[in-house]
Amino acid sequence: MTASQPKIQNDNAVATYNAVKIYGKIGSESAVTALNGVSLEVPLGQFLAVMGPSGSGKSTLLHCMAGLDDLTSGNVIIGSTNLNGLSDRQLTRLRRNSIGFMFQSFNLLPTLTAEQNIRLPSDLAGSSVDEKWFNTLIDLLGIGDRLKHRPSELSGGQQQRVAAARALLSKPTVVFADEPTGNLDSKAGALLLGFLRSSVHEHGQTIVMVTHDPNAASFADKAVLLADGQIIHSIESPTQKSVLEALETLGA
Amino acid sequence: MLTTILSSIRAHAGRLFASALAISLGVAFAVGTLIFTDTLKVAMIQSFAQGDQGIDVAVLPPQATTPNQSGHGGGDGESKIIHYLAPGILTQVQGISGVKSASGQLIGPAVILDKAGHPYGGRGNSFGVGVPSDPSFKWIKVLSGTRPNTSSQVDLDSNTVATLGLNIGSTITVVGKSGLPQKFQVVGIISVGLTQAFNGSSIIGFTPSEAASVTGQAGFREIDVIAAPGVDQTILSNRIASILGPNATVETGATKTFNDENAVIKRANAIENALLTFAVIAILVASIVIANTFRVLVTQRSRELALLRCLGATRNQVFKAIISESFATGVVASGIGLALGVLVAIGLHGIFGAFRGGGIPSAPIQVTVRTFIIGILVGVVTTMAASVLPARNATRVSPLQALHHHSDTSFGGALTVKRLATSVSLIAVGVLIIVTNLGANASLPLIAVGGALAFVGLLIFAPLLVRPVMTVLGIPTRIFGTTGKLATLNTIRNPSRTASTSAALTIGLALISLFSVISSSLNASIDSTIAKNFPFDFVVTTALRGTTVPSSIATSANKTNLFKYVNEVRSGQAIVNGKSQDISGVTPVLLSQSQLMITSGSLANFGASGTAVISTSLAKNLHVKVGEPITISGGLSTATALPPPSTSTVVAISNNLAFLSNLVIPVTDFAPRFPGVGDDELFLTAMPGVTLVQARAQLQKEIDPYPLVTSQDIGTFESNLSNKIGQILALFTALLALALLISFIGIANTLTLSVVERTRELGLLRALGLTRPQVAYMLALEGMLLAVMGAVLGVAIGIAASWGIVLVLNAQGVTVFSVPISLLIVDVVVAALAGILASLIPARRAANTAPVVALAIEE
């Protein structure tokens, strides 16, 4: 680490400082600025919702925070690790140990059973599973009787709950969820969001969730609104109403 | 991790099936070759073992002195001189103390005439032997009936008896050295342990004295000795050797068996190597197919691989997963290949049997541990090696791809500077190697290396050819309207996939067209050689190897005054300046009529006793020039002794002696050294004023008493030679068939994979109004375009390569470069039809795509 990098905040699960992401050749006409100086600290044990219209840069922010894409300038720090300049091997290790993922389209491996899918990250890492935590997760998610089934035999809600168990099993520093309720009906969505919220409040998990659904955001501790690559609003303890109002000002 | 891989294989087993089949077939060819040659070895060794059974000492003719034989690969004078042991030696051996009994193996030309009066078995497939009266000499075993007792009785081998529908008691007509038919009665059925066993020859067993008289063969190939009780093999062998001196080679029975087995193995290994070359081609084609499959699978699974990367899989783990999958595929495919190999072995037995024009000896199928291990290794290593590059590509999948909602179709095969540079430099180096090796000092192996390099370079370049080639090939498909246009565009959308799919076929067709062009050039060259060099009306030859056209025919033809020229060609083997050498004796005027390329000296001086014409290669070999002497010794041993050495002077050196030997002497010099040897060929020209009909009728009358002698018009003679070349071409094509089959499996495979990949798109096309038959047509056209592209490229490469080879072979007499255009067009058309056939299964699948999937499948 060089001296020019900011002091690391150890009580943050993940933080970005002045994050800039430009696609295309800088200065050329085709260059697109997706992130234009985003600074954001997510303390440990926070459920953060990232909101914004299409093209606001919310997905890019998630990719960059998770180390799947690199910044043009600025810093991303996960736990105590600055992502700048990490090799593919180091990033892979970071993903294994510190990051959990949830996707809009669930992304379970169709050939594996639910339980195999849940255990896959630990299998890949060759690490042992905390069996007590595994059982707790299964109970909380209510998927105990679905473990031997393959994804095609599960409903969308069940699939996403399996994906949630997969993301949380290793107790990662932070879970990134990309529109996790986007493909779920409202009932299944509420069930999942309730679980995510309780995992934050009762088990100290940190979650960063990208969503465009104000209702989903209302489950979070905090919501930030992105537009044109910048954070323009930050709402503590968001409700559906407060989020909608903030979105309306955006439209105005 | 293991569960992930295994479940992945299960899920993709269907997609891997076709490429596994490709590997299976490749392995099957290799395994079949090994099984076939192992079985052949066992069969041949058994046949020898019969000959050597119970023999304590074997007396063989003296080894020919051929100091140059090793180290001089396949050039002039390679053919071995077959010496015979004079009958006197048998009497001498029988008198040696410690010898219980001794018997000579007498083998010479003799053939049965079938009911129509034609010689059975044709050239070189029939022998007459002397059946020893003492059954302790087991090289001939009587299976049923008795040994011939009188000169009118014969035994026959079981194959001949069965094929000709004969039985003990039947009367048969046999022709031997004299060329005149004789009647015999069959009294027994025999099996024979012989060197010629491989040919599946027809064997006629006479009493020893009758055998000598029918075959005209006085000497023995081998004398077998059984020791008196208590006499040691080695001691007896040494004693016989010291008594016979340089007149014979003496071996103990054990040594003889050992040497025979080695000779068999050497011979079988040569066949094995030739066949393995074709197996390697099949495996190479299969590896292209499997590499292609893995590449497509990796592309199709990029999302899944990206997800694994997201969840913490390292690049190394992704690489290992793909390689493990290919390992498992390889193991399964090789296992199937081993089983199929047995069928291939049986097929090869059939093909060779048919090509040899007689059965080849069979033994129980031999599947050795070696075959098993090689089969598995070849399959597994090939599959794994072919998947290394796709697996490396898989590690480059970015984890980010898991979050994208649409898997983007990869448009690979872009022209990079690196790719172009590699391709161009490979082609350049390859062509350079070929060009620098053309000409007099041509080295075929180096040219093959150059060709291989250029070929690889071309394959790298091939994706670039896809767009222009397909655009042109696509023009005729326009009659199918939109369907045709879509098909053409589909083949262009992924040029590197198209290129590598066609490449598998390109290899096979390049080789087939190479062989076709070369054999066509050979034919054209023979035609022009004969027309130019032998401007005669008739050719007289004999149907049985080892016999010749009786010299009396030439003599009486001359007397008729109907022929302007009666030119004789005889051949034999002698020793020239200490080296074994084929030698031709000709009527001197034959050479001056033929337009032989004389490089020094003059044919005008040829004809007197002691003159000789030699080839440039022999001149180089012997270091002699025009005007210098050469010493000729050896020749045909008579009952008494070899003719004494003589000296001839080289009067001319020729670049191209056509089908004469490298040393040509006047027939008057030839006759004393090879007493009793008749003519290989007679070339006759009718007298001016005599019609061909008249001359032909007279000639027919002259040869009528000799059933083995045939007269042909020169045109028929040419086409018979062409037929032989055609047979070799057919054999090559049969051996390449498996490689071709594999490449069509590759086409079917690529189409199937692309149908899976394009399910959404096909659904959309259906939703937009494309009918099921139209979808099927589209796939059929794609299959056809892939096949035609591969075929056209292959034919082009084949023509180019054969042009180079014909240039090289110019010195060997291939002077005409002839492209069999209609044959090559047929090849391409057949490939096009096979391409359509390959599309049937994927087309069915594509046509069954429901329009609704366009909307249903999101990922």
Side-chain angles (χ1 to χ4, degrees), chain B residues 717-741:
Chain B
F717 181 65
E718 280 170 20
S719 65
N720 282 351
L721 282 179
S722 301
N723 279 347
K724 257 180 211 160
I725 294 168
Q727 277 173 16
I728 294 172
L729 180 64
L731 180 69
F732 275 136
T733 310
L735 291 176
L736 281 172
L738 210 52
L740 290 177
L741 180 64

Side-chain angles (χ1 to χ4, degrees), chain B residues 703-727:
Chain B
I703 66 174
D704 235 16
Y706 307 100
L708 299 185
V709 177
T710 55
S711 161
Q712 295 162 320
D713 289 9
I714 202 90
T716 323
F717 181 65
E718 280 170 20
S719 65
N720 282 351
L721 282 179
S722 301
N723 279 347
K724 257 180 211 160
I725 294 168
Q727 277 173 16

Side-chain angles (χ1 to χ4, degrees), chain B residues 534-554:
Chain B
F534 300 100
F536 305 106
D537 297 328
F538 306 104
V539 186
V540 176
T541 52
T542 166
L544 180 65
R545 185 184 294 164
T547 65
T548 48
V549 179
S551 48
S552 60
I553 294 181

Side-chain angles (χ1 to χ4, degrees), chain B residues 251-270:
Chain B
E251 288 171 359
T252 61
T255 311
K256 174 77 171 23
T257 308
F258 177 78
N259 288 347
D260 282 350
E261 278 186 16
N262 276 349
V264 165
I265 288 168
K266 213 171 143 190
R267 193 163 167 182
N269 283 347

Side-chain angles (χ1 to χ4, degrees), chain A residues 62-63 68-69 88 92 95-96 99 101-105 107-112 116 120-121 123-126 150 166 178, chain B residues 1 3-4 7-8 10-12 303-304 307-317 398-400 402-405 858-859:
Chain A
L62 185 88
H63 297 164
L68 295 173
D69 208 346
D88 179 77
T92 302
R95 280 200 294 275
R96 274 183 180 177
I99 300 177
F101 283 104
M102 291 180 68
F103 308 91
Q104 178 176 5
S105 48
N107 273 358
L108 299 179
L109 286 182
T111 54
L112 299 183
Q116 284 169 333
L120 181 59
D123 281 352
L124 287 168
R150 289 185 198 281
R166 180 175 71 186
D178 185 10
Chain B
M1 198 59 211
T3 49
T4 320
S7 61
S8 168
R10 263 204 306 276
H12 296 287
R303 210 182 142 88
E304 190 180 311
L307 176 66
L308 285 174
R309 295 277 286 130
C310 257
L311 298 177
T314 60
R315 290 190 167 173
N316 205 10
Q317 280 175 318
S398 139
L400 197 55
L403 292 123
H404 288 162
H405 296 293
E858 156 66 20
E859 286 137 66

Side-chain angles (χ1 to χ4, degrees), chain B residues 78-110:
Chain B
E78 264 290 311
S79 48
K80 267 200 294 189
I81 293 190
I82 300 167
H83 283 289
Y84 293 91
L85 293 162
I89 294 179
L90 177 59
T91 330
Q92 206 179 346
V93 170
Q94 279 164 338
I96 295 171
S97 84
V99 172
K100 181 178 170 234
S101 53
S103 161
Q105 290 190 8
L106 194 146
I107 302 160

